């Protein structure tokens, strides 16, 4: 049924031959500026700050929503767009056969008005007769200034593939091609700005900051990225609060209270200027000043926000802004601008009437005096003609030229080589917005100012910023002084470049960079101890323990010194420990060397006495050959103690233990031979006994040699498997190194020592058995005493050696060698020397063979 009705309607219209009339729903809204052309570029700018609230009663037609609070900067952006379009139309190089036009609307800024302006640009444009035969020819839209309004515009125009190019919207959300498929911008995304702000804060050493954001997509998204980047940079945020211009006053007072009570001296504000302006009034009223503000592009260079009242609060603020540029001819164009009272082109009327205090139209009648038409901006000081900060105007300039270059590629397409289906080109008489959108993704050109313009796959440009600083000149004018640059394409760590010859002004009109830290830096020699429940930027400083150091500020932990090093008193570096070993020059070494040489000299003296009296009975008794061999081995025992003194080396470590083991075995073997001779000698006196012939001088030599060679074999095995070697002992003392000889193989050492002990115990046992044999000079008794001393010394040596630290263990071993050597020398040979020197009458064979006891001894 409905289909039949529709067919009947179209049939009647065709019969009548009339064109359909355009019916606009609501109240007709005209653009602020317009110019006809073959291709129309739309513009949406926030010419006013706030919409006028309509009475909710709605007892009358509210008409077109009105706005108030003229924003001159937005008029500059619109006139920059008009200037560039005129420049392109007058050019013979770019689009020579195409005339560009424009229609520019006001967004207030308000999301509903932004969407309404988008629909006005997209809807059919009614001709003078009111017929609908003149459809919209808007193929791209420039705007808006704020991210919030731009989001509404991009959402509205995106489904229709109409390109939207913003000169100032930085919200990172707009880079999402799934949601905003037709969006481009000539200002970097907030992702880059947020990361750059984190790097900026870190660059100046501010690790403890507060954070304020606008409670919308722009502020929330930008601050989220900043907080993430700040954490990676080691920056802590004391507080993070959100504000919005429509919040009740109590909300702003709570934020002021948070700022006043905070300990951070730096505030990162990722906000729109309109929202921050409300907060500034409260901060100024309560005299909350002297803080360092770090701003996003949303307010840092907004001229209307830069009042003396606000400067008192944010003086010395720093932040990122779009790069400034000089646009030839723009200032002259702005100065020569004149208002029009033609409907659809009255955007300059309010500014003109405000500057010259006159009325252009009797309908408005704001001022009593009418403008006479001779007014001119030449010689008039007004912000409208001030292009000293043309950063955002330059972004508008690049956006228009991007559209023009895309159109140029579209119109210059060669048939058969086009980018569209079957290599076709766009129809010049029926260009579609999606075709323009395709060519926008391909643009890559250089402006007259030398700036390269291109878009990535998300529609974003390369992130480049100027670092601006709020400064007050001598005339009381607030200027945004460029003090440095940031380029994300530069290498990491080199992305900042401070401008030479420009001095920054910081909070409190100071020339020194302020500090904002939760805790003072921990100096070298200390480490950070993080406080439970607080951010990592808040910590205590604890001195490094002994043996540890830190040579940098804010060290997380103290590093341990190498085993051979110790930390100084400041604990900021390590130096080599003193090396300790038993030396010949120290008192203990001198005493031990003296005892060693005295024992050697005593041994040589006894040997000399025995040699001189070698034919006497007491020397010849009990094998004088073994006595001389014993004296020789004792001298070696005294001398081998010297190898334990001095700096240990590979050779000295191997020599000292092997020499000690072999010489003592040789010594004890001789004593064992002498003891065996005593026992066998008395056994031989028994009738029928022939035992002496089995242990004559040859057998005695062989036994000594065999017992000694067994020790030599044990030492050779020890040296072959794991020999003693120098070792730096760092465990006994923390402040010094004990240089000693490590045993290598403990089993080898104790085998050598155990073998000596076995021979000594065997010798002691045999001597003990022979101690009561009848003889005036029974040598077995003296051997018993010597072995008793020997065993006692070496038994007590074991615990003393194990428990003695460092070089004392070496001294203990030397003392044991000397004590046992002296014991054998004194007990065995001094009684004989006493007879030889002082009792020669007893040194006869007859006396030695008698049965009496030598009481003289």
């Amino acid at each position: 049924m409905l289909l039949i009705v529709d067919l009947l309607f179209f049939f009647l219209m065709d019969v009548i031959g009339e064109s359909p009339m355009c019916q606009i729903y609501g109240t007709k809204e005209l653009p602020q500026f317009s110019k006809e052309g073959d291709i129309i570029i739309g513009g949406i700018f926030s010419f006013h700050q706030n919409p006028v609230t309509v009475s909710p009663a709605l007892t009358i037609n509210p008409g077109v929503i009105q706005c108030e609070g003229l924003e001159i900067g937005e008029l500059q952006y619109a006139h920059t767009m008009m200037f560039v379009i005129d420049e392109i139309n007058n050019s013979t190089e770019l689009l020579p056969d195409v005339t560009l036009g424009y229609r520019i609307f006001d967004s207030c800024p308000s999301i509903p008005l932004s969407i309404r302006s988008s629909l006005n640009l997209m809807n059919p444009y009614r001709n003078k007769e009111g017929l609908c035969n003149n459809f919209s020819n808007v193929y791209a839209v420039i705007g808006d200034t704020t991210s919030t309004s731009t989001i509404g515009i991009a959402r509205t125009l995106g489904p229709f593939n109409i390109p939207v190019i913003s000169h100032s919207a930085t919200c990172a959300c707009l880079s999402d091609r799934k949601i905003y498929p037709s969006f481009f911008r000539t200002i970097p995304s907030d992702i880059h700005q947020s990361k750059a702000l984190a790097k900026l804060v870190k660059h100046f050493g501010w690790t403890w900051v507060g954070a304020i954001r606008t409670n919308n997509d722009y502020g929330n998204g930008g601050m989220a990225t900043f907080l993430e980047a700040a954490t990676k940079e080691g920056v802590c945020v004391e507080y993070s609060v959100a504000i919005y211009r429509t919040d009740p006053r109590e909300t702003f007072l709570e934020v002021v209270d948070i700022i006043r009570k905070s300990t951070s001296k730096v505030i990162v504000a990722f906000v729109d200027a309109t929202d921050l302006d409300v907060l500034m009034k409260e901060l100024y009223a309560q005299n909350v000043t002297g803080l360092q503000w770090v701003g996003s592009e949303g307010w840092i260079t907004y001229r209307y926000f830069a009042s003396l009242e606000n400067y008192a609060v944010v003086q010395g603020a720093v932040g990122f802004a779009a790069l400034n540029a000089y646009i030839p001819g723009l200032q002259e164009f702005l100065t020569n601008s004149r208002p029009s009272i033609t409907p659809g082109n009255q955007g300059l009327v309010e500014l003109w009437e405000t500057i010259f205090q006159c009325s252009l139209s009797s309908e408005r009648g704001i001022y009593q005096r009418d403008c006479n038409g001779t007014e001119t901006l030449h010689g008039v000081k007004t912000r409208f003609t001030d292009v000293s900060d043309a950063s955002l105007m330059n972004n508008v300039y690049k956006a228009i030229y991007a559209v023009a270059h895309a159109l140029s590629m579209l119109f210059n397409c060669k048939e058969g080589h086009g980018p569209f289906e079957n290599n076709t080109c766009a129809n010049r008489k029926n260009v579609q917005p999606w075709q323009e959108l395709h060519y926008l993704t391909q643009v890559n050109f250089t402006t007259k100012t030398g700036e390269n313009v291109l878009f990535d796959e998300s529609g974003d440009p390369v992130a480049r910023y100027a670092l601006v600083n709020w400064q007050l000149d001598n005339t009381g004018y607030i200027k945004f002084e460029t003090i440095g640059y940031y380029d994300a394409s530069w290498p990491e760590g080199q992305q900042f470049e401070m401008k030479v010859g420009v001095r920054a002004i910081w909070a409190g009109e100071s020339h020194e960079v302020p500090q904002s830290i939760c805790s003072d830096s921990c100096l070298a020699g200390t480490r950070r101890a993080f406080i439970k429940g607080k951010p990592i930027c808040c910590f205590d400083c604890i001195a490094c323990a002994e043996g540890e150091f830190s040579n940098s500020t804010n060290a997380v932990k103290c590093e341990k010194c190498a085993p051979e090093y110790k930390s100084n008193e400041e604990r900021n570096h390590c130096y080599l420990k003193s090396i300790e070993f038993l030396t010949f020059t120290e008192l203990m070494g001198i005493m031990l060397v003296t005892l060693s040489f005295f024992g050697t000299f005593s041994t040589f003296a006894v040997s000399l006495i025995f040699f001189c009296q070698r034919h006497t009975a007491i020397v010849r008794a009990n094998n004088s050959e073994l006595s001389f061999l014993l004296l020789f081995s004792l001298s070696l025992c005294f001398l081998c103690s010297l190898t334990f003194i001095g700096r240990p080396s590979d050779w000295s470590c191997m020599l000292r233990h092997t020499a000690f083991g072999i010489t003592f075995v040789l010594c004890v073997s001789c004593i064992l031979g002498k003891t065996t001779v005593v026992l066998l000698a008395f056994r031989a006196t028994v009738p029928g006994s022939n035992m002496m012939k089995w242990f004559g001088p040859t057998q005695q030599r062989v036994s000594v040699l065999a017992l000694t060679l067994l020790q030599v074999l044990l030492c050779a095995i020890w040296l072959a498997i794991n020999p003693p070697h120098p070792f730096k002992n760092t465990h006994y003392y923390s402040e010094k190194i004990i240089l000693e000889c490590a045993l290598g193989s403990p089993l080898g050492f104790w085998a050598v020592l155990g073998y000596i002990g076995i021979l000594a115990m065997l010798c002691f046992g045999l001597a003990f058995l022979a101690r009561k044999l009848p003889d005036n000079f029974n040598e077995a008794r003296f051997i018993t005493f010597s072995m008793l001393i020997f065993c006692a010394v070496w038994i007590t040596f074991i615990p003393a050696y194990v428990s003695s630290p460092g070089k004392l263990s070496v001294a203990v071993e030397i003392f044991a060698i000397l004590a046992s050597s002296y014991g054998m020398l004194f007990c065995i040979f001094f009684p004989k020397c006493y007879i030889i020197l002082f009792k020669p009458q007893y040194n006869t064979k007859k006396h030695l063979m008698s049965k009496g006891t030598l009481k003289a001894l």
Side-chain angles (χ1 to χ4, degrees), residues 87 249 390 573 732 776 825 830:
E87 185 176 78
R249 185 167 182 258
H573 75 273
Y732 283 128
N776 271 337
L825 179 64
F830 274 27

Side-chain angles (χ1 to χ4, degrees), residues 50 95 411 427 584 627 677 697:
N50 297 298
L95 301 176
F411 289 133
N427 184 354
F584 290 98
S627 295
V677 169

Side-chain angles (χ1 to χ4, degrees), residues 81-147:
M81 176 178 172
M82 296 154 59
F83 164 76
V84 178
I85 289 176
D86 286 349
E87 185 176 78
I88 294 171
N89 286 338
N90 295 328
S91 171
T92 58
E93 298 178 0
L94 193 62
L95 301 176
D97 301 325
V98 178
T99 301
L100 298 180
Y102 52 80
R103 286 207 295 274
I104 303 173
F105 287 86
D106 184 7
S107 67
C108 212
S110 165
I111 294 176
L113 289 182
S114 298
I115 295 174
R116 177 167 180 163
S117 297
S118 304
L119 294 174
N120 274 310
L121 288 170
M122 190 171 55
N123 283 338
Y125 187 63
R126 185 173 61 176
N127 61 11
K128 293 180 180 179
E129 289 76 23
L131 300 178
C132 294
N133 57 4
N134 189 11
F135 293 99
S136 173
N137 55 349
V138 173
Y139 296 102
V141 175
I142 309 301
D144 194 354
T145 302
T146 65
S147 294

